[in-house]
């Protein structure tokens, strides 16, 4: 085989295998040099420098080792120009069923936040808004953005959702499958297509003086704020968000309280027995009456190839919405020693499944970043954290994780932003 690494095999347990038997898959045991190169190629680490003198920057990775699969995660790292003052906006988005809504959200949400800030900050000398006002700005902007996803589609039909029963399939198809000529061809289709998918959203906003941090969350991503000392010893860390999923009793109670006569509103820890996050952007079939999906989305071409699995949860859809677009928004004062903010999709936390609780996991992440020291060097901190979670110095374990020869993904998409504040 020349200089190529030997091929080994490992047993992989997959939940979808009907007989629960493990699958034997080949992988390449990699040397340190080859592993570092392969991991960097798969994770595409990037660094965005906001202010080199002050050390304000953000490191990112977007990781999916299965080369036959396109990640549905997205991230954003942006500076927002508000009358010459630079705010920073970062975020991670975990799409499901497809990547269209995650892509749409990552592109448009910074624009919406910029427009909202310009409305409350009237000029270069204007006083800074109160922290609670920024919390409301983020919450209202996210909710309005989500409302517009289905709202833009319903606006295509005079009379809205109440008009759908009287329309034929052919009439609806002519509206949403607008692939004729002209510069706007396909615009209606793209609007309707967004309703098929959804995404979690975890975003952070930092003011120009780096004295204030706001974090807004929908779904089950993770935000951790850490502050190491000069020697890399951990001073403190804080998990900044709650998880909006079936493992959170408060979320389960909220949905059941809103739908008291519907025992299947939460089934097997999932909304309507189907979807894991309890708060998301998009996911119109869980927020609109079932007729919206059956009459509009079923008439998209291409669209829903087989409605059978959709009907499983649509038959339970009696009093929508079941999924909320109202984010939790928190504010924290910054200052003193340099802090680091970790934003990560749940692919990172899934690497810890069965190993530790959430608090211990956050502590592990914090120690990993703290050991890099207070001043970011050349090492990409997001890539450092990913490698640490995959196995650290265990070359064999990491080789298995990143080189399995499989047709379908064996691990979740993983996206990480580490921001030096």
């Amino acid at each position: 085989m020349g200089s190529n690494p030997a091929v080994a095999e490992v047993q992989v347990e997959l939940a979808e295998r009907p007989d629960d038997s493990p699958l034997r898959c080949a992988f390449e045991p990699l040397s340190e040099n080859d592993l570092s190169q392969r991991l960097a190629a798969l994770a595409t680490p990037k660094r965005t420098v906001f202010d080199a003198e002050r050390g304000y920057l953000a490191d990112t990775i977007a990781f999916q080792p299965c080369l036959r699969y396109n990640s549905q995660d997205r991230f954003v790292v942006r500076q927002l120009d508000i009358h010459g003052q630079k705010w920073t906006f970062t975020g991670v988005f975990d799409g499901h069923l497809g990547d269209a809504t995650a892509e749409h959200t990552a592109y448009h949400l910074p624009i919406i936040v910029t427009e909202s800030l310009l409305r409350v900050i009237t000029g270069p000398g204007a006083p800074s808004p109160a922290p609670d006002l920024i919390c409301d700005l983020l919450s209202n902007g996210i909710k309005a953005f989500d409302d517009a996803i289905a709202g833009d589609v319903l606006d295509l039909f005079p009379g809205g959702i109440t008009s759908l029963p009287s329309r034929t399939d052919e009439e609806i198809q002519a509206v949403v499958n607008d692939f004729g000529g002209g510069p706007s061809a396909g615009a209606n289709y793209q609007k309707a297509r967004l309703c098929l998918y959804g995404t979690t959203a975890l975003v952070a906003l930092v003011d120009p003086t780096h004295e204030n941090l706001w974090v807004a969350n929908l779904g089950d991503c993770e935000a951790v704020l850490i502050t190491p000392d000069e020697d890399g010893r951990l001073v403190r860390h804080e998990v900044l968000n709650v998880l909006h999923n079936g493992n959170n009793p408060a979320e389960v109670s909220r949905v059941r309280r809103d739908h008291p006569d519907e025992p299947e509103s939460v089934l097997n820890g999932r909304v309507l027995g189907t979807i894991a996050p309890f708060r998301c952007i998009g996911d119109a079939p869980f927020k609109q009456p079932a007729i919206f999906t059956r009459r509009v989305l079923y008439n998209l071409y291409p669209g829903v190839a087989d409605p059978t699995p959709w009907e499983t949860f649509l038959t339970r859809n009696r009093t929508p919405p079941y999924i909320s677009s109202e984010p939790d928004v928190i504010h924290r004062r910054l200052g003193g020693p340099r802090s680091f903010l970790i934003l990560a999709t749940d692919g990172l936390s899934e690497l810890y499944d069965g190993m530790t609780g959430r608090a211990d996991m956050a502590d592990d992440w914090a120690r990993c970043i703290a050991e890099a020291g207070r001043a970011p060097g050349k090492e990409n901190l997001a890539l450092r954290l990913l490698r640490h979670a995959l196995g650290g110095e265990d070359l064999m374990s990491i080789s298995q994780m990143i080189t399995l020869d499989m047709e379908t993904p064996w691990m979740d998409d993983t996206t990480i932003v580490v921001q030096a504040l």
Side-chain angles (χ1 to χ4, degrees):
M1 298 180 63
S3 61
N4 291 334
V7 175
E9 285 190 344
V10 65
Q11 291 192 153
V12 181
E13 294 185 1
L14 298 175
E16 61 268 22
R17 283 178 68 80
D19 59 357
D20 293 327
S21 63
L23 179 68
R24 295 194 65 82
C25 296
F27 74 95
E28 294 181 27
L30 300 175
S31 67
E32 171 61 39
N33 183 62
D34 289 342
L35 186 147
S36 296
Q37 292 184 14
R38 182 77 64 92
L39 185 59
L42 289 168
T44 58
K46 297 179 181 178
R47 169 166 289 184
T48 301
V49 178
F50 300 125
D51 187 324
E53 182 178 346
R54 293 179 174 84
Y56 299 152
L57 55 84
D59 287 343
T60 60
I61 64 95
F63 177 68
Q64 173 49 254
C66 182
L67 299 179
R68 301 175 181 89
Y69 174 82
N70 293 324
S71 172
Q72 297 179 7
D73 280 5
R74 295 294 184 273
F75 69 86
V76 61
V77 173
R78 290 272 301 275
Q79 279 191 315
L80 311 181
D81 189 331
I82 309 300
H83 302 298
Q85 299 295 309
K86 302 298 185 182
W87 296 61
T88 62
F89 183 88
T90 54
V92 294
F93 310 93
D94 184 356
H96 39 263
L97 295 180
D99 62 3
T101 305
E103 182 82 25
H104 178 74
T105 305
Y107 178 82
H108 286 281
L109 209 52
I111 298 172
I112 291 170
V113 172
T114 299
E115 293 172 346
S116 299
L117 286 171
L118 288 170
R119 283 195 292 269
V120 299
I121 303 173
T122 55
S128 298
D132 286 349
L133 180 60
I134 300 297
C135 288
D136 291 341
L137 178 152
L138 288 170
S139 180
N140 293 335
I142 289 171
K143 287 187 291 185
F145 172 73
D146 180 70
D147 288 343
I149 292 177
D152 286 350
V153 177
L154 290 172
D155 287 344
L156 301 174
F157 302 96
I161 201 159
T162 60
S163 73
L164 295 179
S166 63
R167 298 179 184 274
T168 66
D169 285 342
E170 289 74 18
E171 289 174 329
I172 295 173
Q173 291 166 13
V175 171
V176 297
N177 301 311
D178 57 330
F179 298 119
S184 62
N188 293 351
Y189 174 81
Q190 293 301 333
K191 291 177 182 178
R193 180 171 171 262
L194 289 175
C195 296
L196 289 169
Y197 314 115
T199 184
T200 64
L202 177 64
V203 299
L205 181 69
V206 180
D207 65 2
T209 60
H210 277 241
E211 295 175 350
N212 295 280
L213 164 70
W214 294 266
V215 173
N217 176 56
L218 288 168
D220 52 7
C221 296
E222 299 277 1
V224 179
L225 181 66
I226 70 170
T227 307
D229 67 8
E230 294 282 0
D231 299 324
R233 292 191 299 270
L234 186 65
V235 175
R236 64 181 182 272
H237 73 278
E238 180 186 7
V239 177
L240 297 178
N241 67 301
V242 300
L243 301 180
H244 300 141
N245 59 25
N247 294 323
N248 183 343
E251 285 296 289
V252 174
S253 296
R254 176 182 59 81
V255 174
R256 287 185 169 153
R257 183 174 62 251
D258 291 344
H259 307 279
D261 299 321
E262 302 175 52
E264 293 183 322
S265 60
V266 178
L267 187 64
N268 299 323
R270 293 173 174 260
V271 179
L272 299 183
T274 301
I275 192 167
F278 281 44
R279 303 194 198 190
C280 291
I281 291 172
D283 292 312
F286 298 86
K287 296 174 179 175
Q288 296 292 324
I291 191 174
F292 177 86
T293 301
R294 289 172 173 148
R295 299 305 318 282
V296 177
L297 301 186
Y298 282 4
N299 276 307
L300 277 176
Y301 298 109
V304 180
D306 179 10
T308 304
W310 294 66
E311 285 299 316
T312 301
F313 72 85
L314 286 178
T315 57
R316 302 173 181 141
N317 181 343
R318 294 163 49 193
T319 57
Y322 294 88
I323 291 178
S324 173
S325 63
E326 181 170 357
D328 287 331
V329 185
I330 66 162
H331 167 256
R332 291 293 182 267
R333 290 279 184 189
L334 301 175
R338 177 181 301 283
S339 296
F340 295 86
L341 175 67
I342 300 171
L343 305 177
T345 58
D346 67 343
L348 182 61
S349 55
E350 287 183 7
L351 293 174
Y352 288 77
D353 277 358
M355 297 169 57
T356 184
R358 190 179 180 216
D360 290 339
M361 177 184 70
D363 182 72
D364 187 60
W365 296 358
R367 292 185 184 282
C368 174
I369 299 301
E371 288 168 0
R374 285 183 55 194
K378 294 182 179 180
E379 182 183 20
N380 184 290
L381 297 177
L383 184 62
R384 173 188 177 90
L385 181 57
L386 174 65
R387 170 153 182 176
H388 177 75
L390 287 170
E393 300 306 313
D394 188 340
L395 301 186
M396 190 62 70
S397 292
I398 302 177
S399 295
Q400 292 174 9
M401 292 295 289
I402 70 176
T403 69
L404 281 180
D405 184 14
M406 290 182 61
E407 294 287 335
T408 57
W410 55 91
M411 63 175 289
D412 198 5
D413 306 330
T414 303
T415 299
I416 307 170
V417 176
V418 180
Q419 183 175 358
L421 301 171

